[in-house]
């Protein structure tokens, strides 16, 4: 019996023809199905092996690992975080303890300098300055992280509402953010702290957080407006997906990448603003709390002529940490930019 594919009246399928023709037997259709599966598997393997098919995140990580600026920034940030986390293990002394070896030599014009047991000498109250610098990293990290997270949460909420609803809601929220952006960030933070009944660590955190809210809000709102007209959002609407699901599952996740990168840059600004508020005497009034801005403003400024190292070390620490977050943030921004993909 002859093969059904070669029977009279049944045209043999061509190599480039993937559609079944009238009169083809079930066996012929099955052969075509197997060919389609084989081609799809071949394309899938080729796509997986193709470097150009790497996702945006993996491609960004690959370029960050090759970027010396990103490596330097990540190294500074990593060292800062490790010192802050393991401060109790690294610090040689209790940061609030006063030592007789230091206090007995304290005078109006003399503050003990570096020695074997105290590598950075004493502060004006006879405490180990190195230990206070190490614990200051922990306090700076705490203030920066909380201020950035609060600002990020509020900014994402406002930006998501404005980008999702549009219309008059978008206009009202964006005009409010424009008013906040019109004021210098440090001046706005000083105003917010001055409005509190008494300054504290939490007033500094909330003031620095509020300053960063409009930045996150405008950035997320712009990203979500761009997502509204994208192909996958239009396809979801055409399929009848609810608007809430479109916003939460399609628009918002695809808009958060730039916001997260901005959070790294905002962290550097938060450290500088918090240090500036403490330097101006608007921060935590507790003199026992080791915080770089407070150390720079109270001890460094007052005793600069007696022992300028009290100002040099906190200022240098603030500058280096802020530089590390800035370098890392800028490298991440360049890495996720689709224009830089090769």
């Amino acid at each position: 019996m002859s093969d059904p594919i070669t029977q009279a009246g049944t045209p043999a399928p061509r190599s480039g023809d993937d559609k079944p023709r009238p009169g083809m037997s079930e066996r012929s259709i099955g052969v075509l199905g197997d060919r389609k599966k084989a081609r799809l598997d071949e394309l899938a393997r080729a796509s997986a092996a193709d470097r150009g098919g790497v996702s945006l995140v993996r491609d960004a990580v690959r370029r960050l690992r090759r970027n010396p600026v990103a490596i330097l920034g990540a190294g500074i940030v990593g060292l800062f975080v490790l010192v802050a986390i393991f401060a109790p293990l690294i610090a040689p002394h209790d940061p609030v303890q006063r030592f007789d070896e230091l206090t007995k030599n304290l005078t109006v014009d003399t503050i003990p300098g570096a020695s074997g047991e105290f590598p950075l000498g004493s502060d004006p109250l006879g405490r180990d300055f190195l230990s206070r610098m190490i614990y200051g990293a922990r306090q700076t990290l705490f203030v920066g992280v909380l201020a950035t997270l609060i600002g990020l949460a509020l900014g994402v909420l406002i930006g998501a509402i404005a980008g999702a609803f549009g219309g008059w809601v978008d206009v009202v929220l964006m005009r409010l953010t424009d008013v906040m952006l019109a004021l210098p960030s440090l001046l706005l933070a000083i105003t917010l702290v001055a409005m509190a009944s008494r300054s504290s660590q939490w007033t500094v955190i909330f003031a620095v957080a509020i300053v960063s809210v409009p930045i996150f809000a405008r950035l997320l709102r712009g990203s979500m407006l761009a997502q509204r007209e994208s192909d996958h959002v239009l396809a979801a609407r055409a399929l009848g997906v609810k608007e809430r699901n479109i916003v939460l599952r399609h628009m918002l996740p695809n808009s958060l990448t730039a916001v997260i990168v901005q959070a790294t840059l905002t962290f550097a600004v938060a450290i500088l603003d918090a240090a500036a508020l403490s330097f101006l005497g608007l921060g935590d009034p507790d003199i026992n709390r080791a915080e770089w801005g407070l150390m720079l403003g109270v001890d460094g400024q007052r005793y600069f002529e007696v022992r300028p190292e009290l100002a040099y070390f906190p200022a240098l620490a603030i500058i280096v940490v802020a530089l590390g977050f800035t370098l890392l943030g800028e490298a991440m921004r360049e890495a996720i930019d689709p224009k830089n993909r090769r």
Side-chain angles (χ1 to χ4, degrees):
M1 184 176 180
S2 61
D3 194 319
I5 299 180
T6 59
Q7 287 181 358
T10 305
R14 292 175 296 176
S15 60
D17 191 358
D18 291 339
K19 296 182 179 180
R21 295 184 177 184
M24 294 181 65
S25 65
E26 294 182 359
R27 180 179 176 183
S28 301
I29 296 176
V31 171
L32 290 179
D34 294 338
R35 290 179 180 176
K36 284 186 177 181
K37 292 179 180 179
R39 291 176 187 175
L40 290 175
D41 293 339
E42 183 180 355
L43 290 174
R45 288 191 296 268
S47 178
D50 186 9
R51 292 181 60 89
V54 178
S55 67
L56 178 61
V57 175
R58 292 183 60 185
D59 185 65
V61 172
R62 177 176 59 84
R63 281 185 282 135
L64 281 175
R65 294 172 60 183
R66 299 179 179 179
N67 189 346
V69 175
I71 296 175
L72 177 60
I76 295 174
V77 171
L79 180 61
F80 166 66
V81 173
L82 288 177
V83 170
I85 294 175
F86 298 103
L89 301 177
I90 299 174
H93 303 286
D94 187 344
V96 300
Q97 181 181 357
R98 301 185 183 186
F99 296 90
D100 295 335
E101 306 94 300
L102 300 175
T103 55
K104 67 181 181 181
N105 297 322
L106 283 175
T107 63
V108 178
D109 299 326
T110 303
I111 297 177
S115 63
E117 188 177 359
F118 307 100
L120 296 184
S122 170
D123 75 342
L125 297 179
R127 299 169 296 193
D128 180 34
F129 193 63
L130 175 59
S131 298
R132 293 187 63 79
M133 283 292 301
I134 294 174
Y135 272 86
R138 166 175 284 196
Q139 187 65 24
T140 301
L141 179 65
F142 175 74
V143 173
V145 167
L146 275 186
T148 303
L149 289 179
I150 294 174
L152 176 64
L154 295 177
V156 166
L157 178 62
I158 295 174
I161 293 175
F165 290 96
W168 66 269
V169 176
D170 180 29
V171 173
V172 172
L173 292 177
M174 289 302 102
R175 295 300 76 80
L176 292 176
T177 59
D178 289 341
V179 172
M180 298 178 65
L181 288 173
L183 298 175
S185 60
L186 183 57
L187 180 60
L188 179 58
I190 293 174
T191 303
L192 294 174
V193 172
M195 293 173 60
S197 58
R198 59 183 298 271
S199 60
S200 66
Q201 183 184 43
W202 290 104
T203 59
V204 172
I205 292 175
F206 282 111
V208 175
I210 295 300
V211 167
S212 63
V213 168
I215 300 174
F216 292 121
R218 289 200 66 89
L219 183 60
L220 182 62
R221 176 252 186 186
S223 299
M224 291 193 66
L225 289 181
Q227 290 288 329
R228 289 175 67 91
E229 304 302 326
S230 60
D231 292 340
H232 66 280
V233 173
L234 295 177
R237 287 200 180 98
L239 292 174
V241 180
K242 293 182 180 180
E243 191 67 24
R244 181 184 63 182
N245 293 333
I246 292 177
V247 172
L248 296 179
R249 296 183 180 180
H250 298 278
M251 296 173 60
L252 187 58
N254 291 313
S255 303
L256 286 177
T257 304
V259 178
I260 295 174
V261 173
Q262 180 61 39
T264 307
L265 298 171
T266 303
F267 193 98
V269 178
I271 292 176
L272 294 175
D273 287 345
L277 292 175
S278 297
F279 177 81
L280 295 174
L282 298 174
D284 192 349
D286 185 5
I287 61 174
N288 288 325
R289 194 184 302 276
E291 198 270 321
W292 290 342
L294 186 63
M295 296 165 65
L296 177 62
V298 176
D299 300 339
Q301 186 179 19
R302 185 178 303 173
Y303 299 97
F304 185 79
E305 295 182 359
V306 178
R307 190 158 181 261
E309 293 88 349
L310 296 177
Y312 291 160
F313 289 119
L316 182 62
I318 293 171
I319 292 172
V320 170
V321 171
L323 177 63
F325 279 99
T326 302
L327 293 178
L328 181 60
E330 290 293 342
M332 291 174 62
R333 175 181 291 177
E334 293 179 1
I336 67 171
D337 189 351
K339 296 180 181 178
N340 296 329
R341 300 191 73 185
R342 291 176 175 85

